[in-house]
């Protein structure tokens, strides 16, 4: 009987699909008047860099200026920290907005008309998980459907998402489902290695290449030969190393520091970042050509606040990983609090909260935070030395950002422009932080 029930559930899921509209972008004012593009992809990009869905020649437009996506019968526009901003009729500047079909947007000297066309459907995965990732929401099953298609290939993958969403777990899950599952997987945290050592760590060095190089050293690319290299926090890679990485990505060859021999590689490349690389491209701190080489396939892991319906499933899964019976911890009161909280630290914060519960220290702050998106009375998070340093640091930073922004919004009456002036920071950057922490 249980098997029949499971089959019925999967059969019902098999009919599920995510419906979105094709979007047409048309230039009717500006240097590229008459140019147009139609696409049904989840995200369309407009800018001057080759690789955009609609490429413009307007010199007042940034390399990757805006991102456009379907939002039901409406259209979502997101400015990617462009130099000259994105504007609606009436001289209204937008950072992230949902607008009706037919809206006119100004970027640089160009005016674009955005139109939502016929609906298309995209099949969702019938599985409530992929590898170590779990979720039953349509948002996560859309991610799983993409991963199911991509994992068996050798395509380069860029995984994006906020801190704590599970990007490294996603990378391991891709490898486990690939033909390289039994090959090496070498992980390089580009943000944790000093810049003067990173080149050698990535590409290796020859004996005598520099003081202290007493022997030949195989870099991460060589060690991953026949398997996969995972470049975590790729947005932290210094600009001077990005040219060398671009050559390795394009040619699948590396040369050790201090050597002239080119070493051919049979390797798959997966990268991840919690940064908006499009904004980094516009700022000139990340190479546009490297961005497009890495994002052949881009997997976007959504923040937990966007799929809170998965919170219970995630909590049960995490407790089972800790070899704890979920029924002993998760009563209806606790589950109610978990479903209401915004989880600015995402799945990592949920996991750490459950660990604290197991130690007998049910976190009273969560109850307060679950009633509102923010709380300005929270004390600093306790130090847990059993937690990895990187996780503890990111959680502390997230806590500070949340508290600072909450107080800032209170003082400025929720006025984003006034808040940005008071904080002496860029309005677009501030808007991103507010979205990240569920405060906007």
């Amino acid at each position: 009987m249980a098997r029949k029930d499971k089959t019925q559930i999967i059969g019902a899921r098999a009919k599920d699909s995510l419906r979105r509209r094709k979007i047409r972008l048309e230039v009717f004012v500006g240097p590229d008047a008459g140019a147009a593009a139609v696409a049904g992809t989840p995200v369309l990009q407009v800018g001057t860099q080759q690789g955009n869905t609609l490429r413009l020649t307007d010199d007042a437009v940034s390399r990757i200026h805006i991102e456009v996506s379907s939002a039901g019968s409406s259209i979502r526009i997101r400015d990617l920290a462009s130099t000259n901003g994105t504007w609606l009729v009436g001289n209204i500047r937008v950072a992230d907005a949902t607008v009706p079909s037919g809206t006119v947007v100004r970027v640089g000297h160009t005016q674009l008309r955005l139109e939502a066309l016929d609906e298309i459907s995209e099949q969702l995965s019938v599985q409530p998980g992929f590898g170590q990732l779990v979720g039953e929401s349509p948002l996560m099953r859309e991610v799983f459907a993409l991963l199911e298609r991509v994992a068996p290939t050798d395509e380069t993958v860029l995984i994006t998402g906020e801190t704590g969403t599970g990007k490294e777990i996603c990378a391991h899950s891709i490898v486990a489902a690939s033909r390289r599952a039994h090959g090496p997987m070498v992980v390089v945290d580009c943000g944790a290695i000093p810049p003067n050592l990173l080149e050698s760590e990535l590409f290796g060095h020859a004996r005598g290449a520099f003081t202290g190089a007493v022997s030949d050293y195989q870099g991460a690319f060589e060690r991953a030969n026949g398997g996969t290299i995972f470049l975590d926090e790729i947005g932290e890679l210094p600009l001077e190393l990005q040219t060398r990485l671009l050559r390795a990505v394009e040619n699948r060859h590396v040369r050790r520091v201090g050597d002239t021999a080119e070493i051919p590689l049979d390797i798959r490349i997966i990268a991840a970042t919690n940064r908006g690389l499009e904004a980094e491209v516009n700022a000139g701190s990340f190479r546009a050509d490297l961005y497009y080489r890495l994002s052949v396939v881009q997997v976007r892991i959504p923040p937990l606040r966007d799929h809170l319906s998965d919170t219970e499933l995630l909590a049960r899964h995490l407790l089972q990983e800790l070899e704890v019976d979920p029924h002993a911890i998760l009563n209806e009161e606790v589950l109610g609090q978990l479903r209401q909280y915004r989880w600015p630290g995402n799945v990592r914060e949920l996991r750490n909260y459950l660990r604290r519960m197991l130690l007998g220290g049910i976190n009273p702050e969560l109850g307060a935070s679950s009633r509102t998106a923010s709380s300005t009375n929270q004390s600093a998070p306790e130090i847990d030395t059993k937690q990895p340093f990187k996780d503890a640091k990111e959680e502390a930073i997230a806590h500070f950002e949340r508290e600072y922004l909450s107080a800032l919004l209170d003082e400025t009456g929720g006025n984003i422009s006034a808040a940005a002036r008071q904080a002496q920071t860029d309005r677009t950057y501030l808007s991103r932080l507010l979205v990240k922490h569920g405060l906007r």
Side-chain angles (χ1 to χ4, degrees):
M1 184 67 180
R3 180 174 298 176
K4 181 180 178 182
D5 290 346
K6 184 176 179 181
T7 303
Q8 288 174 343
I9 291 170
I10 291 179
R13 283 190 185 141
K15 298 175 184 177
D16 285 352
S17 60
L18 188 70
R19 303 188 71 80
R20 68 164 56 90
R21 292 180 180 272
K22 285 184 179 180
I23 295 176
R24 174 182 169 82
L25 309 173
E26 181 183 3
V27 180
F28 67 95
V29 173
D32 304 287
V38 177
T41 53
V43 175
L44 292 72
Q45 292 177 334
V46 178
T48 58
Q49 179 67 38
Q50 185 174 1
N52 282 289
T53 312
L54 179 61
R55 187 183 183 190
L56 304 176
T57 60
D58 185 343
D59 59 8
V61 170
S62 294
R63 294 182 179 94
I64 312 173
H65 198 108
I66 59 171
E67 186 177 89
V68 181
S69 57
S70 172
S73 59
S74 301
I75 296 172
R76 181 183 179 189
I77 312 166
R78 210 162 62 87
D79 183 273
L80 301 173
S82 64
T83 302
N84 294 317
T86 301
W87 304 81
L88 300 179
V89 174
N91 224 26
I92 302 170
R93 185 167 184 168
V94 295
D96 191 336
T98 300
V99 298
S101 177
T103 294
V104 173
V105 176
R106 176 167 59 83
V107 292
H109 305 303
T110 297
Q111 292 188 38
L112 293 165
R113 181 179 287 109
L114 314 180
E115 292 183 287
L117 304 179
D118 297 338
E119 276 193 341
I120 57 174
S121 63
E122 185 169 329
Q123 197 71 38
L124 300 178
S125 172
V126 300
Q127 301 299 331
F130 180 85
Q132 301 172 62
L133 298 169
V134 299
E136 291 184 316
S137 63
L139 203 56
M140 288 306 295
R141 287 195 288 130
E142 181 186 22
V143 174
F144 300 155
L146 174 60
L147 293 175
E148 288 164 2
R149 295 194 300 271
V150 170
T153 73
D154 270 346
E155 293 289 3
T156 300
V157 177
L158 176 64
I159 306 169
T160 61
E162 294 177 7
T163 296
T165 49
K167 297 184 292 297
E168 184 168 353
I169 290 174
C170 180
H172 282 278
S173 299
I174 291 172
V175 172
S178 75
R179 69 179 183 86
R180 298 176 181 270
H182 300 293
M185 180 179 178
V186 178
V187 179
V188 180
D189 187 339
C190 299
I193 301 172
N196 61 318
L197 300 178
L198 189 53
E199 183 177 23
S200 177
E201 176 56 33
L202 285 171
F203 307 113
H205 62 251
R207 179 182 178 183
F210 49 81
T211 303
V214 296
S215 61
D216 289 345
Y217 176 70
Q218 277 193 338
F221 273 89
E222 281 187 77
R223 300 197 303 274
N225 202 10
T228 306
I229 186 168
F230 174 49
L231 303 172
D232 198 10
E233 303 301 346
I234 190 67
E236 306 293 332
L237 192 71
L239 194 58
E240 59 270 20
L241 286 185
Q242 292 176 24
T243 302
R244 287 208 63 184
L245 178 59
L246 177 64
R247 287 176 56 82
V249 173
E250 285 183 324
N251 304 327
R252 295 301 198 268
H253 283 74
V254 295
R255 178 168 46 83
R256 292 178 181 176
V257 177
D259 203 350
T260 57
E262 293 280 342
I263 303 168
L265 300 172
D266 171 23
I267 195 171
R268 183 182 195 172
I269 299 171
I270 301 176
T273 181
N274 61 7
R275 290 193 178 195
L277 289 188
E278 300 89 352
E280 302 291 329
V281 168
N282 289 334
S285 57
F286 200 87
R287 290 185 60 118
D289 44 7
L290 178 57
Y291 166 75
Y292 284 112
R293 289 290 187 275
L294 291 174
S295 59
V296 174
V297 177
Q298 187 169 162
V299 178
R300 301 176 183 229
I301 309 294
L304 182 51
R305 64 179 172 274
D306 286 352
H307 57 111
L308 288 173
S309 61
D310 287 325
T311 306
E312 180 178 347
L313 180 65
L314 282 164
R316 294 185 184 281
H317 173 75
L318 292 168
L319 287 170
Q320 287 168 354
E321 283 188 340
L322 294 170
E323 300 182 349
V324 174
D325 180 5
H327 295 94
I329 301 293
L330 301 177
N331 57 44
E332 281 305 313
E333 181 182 356
V334 171
L335 287 172
Q337 291 182 351
L338 298 187
R339 294 188 196 104
Q340 293 175 46
Y341 186 54
R342 298 286 292 173
W343 301 108
N346 294 297
V347 179
R348 179 179 295 156
E349 184 182 2
L350 173 61
R351 182 191 64 197
N352 291 337
Y353 175 70
L354 293 171
R355 289 178 60 205
R356 287 194 291 272
M357 287 184 68
L358 295 175
L359 294 173
I362 295 178
N363 187 356
E365 295 177 1
L366 180 59
S369 299
S370 67
R371 291 190 291 272
T372 178
S374 64
S375 172
T376 57
N377 311 328
Q378 294 181 13
S379 58
E382 295 180 4
I383 299 298
D384 180 4
T385 55
K386 294 182 177 62
Q387 191 178 5
F389 173 78
K390 180 181 177 183
D391 292 2
K393 176 184 174 184
E394 288 177 343
E395 190 171 314
I397 291 172
H399 178 90
F400 164 76
E401 288 179 347
R402 190 163 62 251
E403 295 301 294
Y404 180 92
L405 294 172
S406 296
L408 184 65
L409 288 179
D410 285 344
E411 290 180 18
T412 57
N415 186 307
I416 308 300
S417 296
R421 286 193 297 272
Q422 181 168 319
Q424 298 181 31
T425 190
D426 179 72
R427 188 183 188 281
T428 302
Y429 174 67
L430 179 64
S431 295
R432 286 204 197 93
L433 286 178
L434 294 174
V435 170
K436 170 185 173 183
H437 293 291
L439 299 175
R440 184 181 181 190

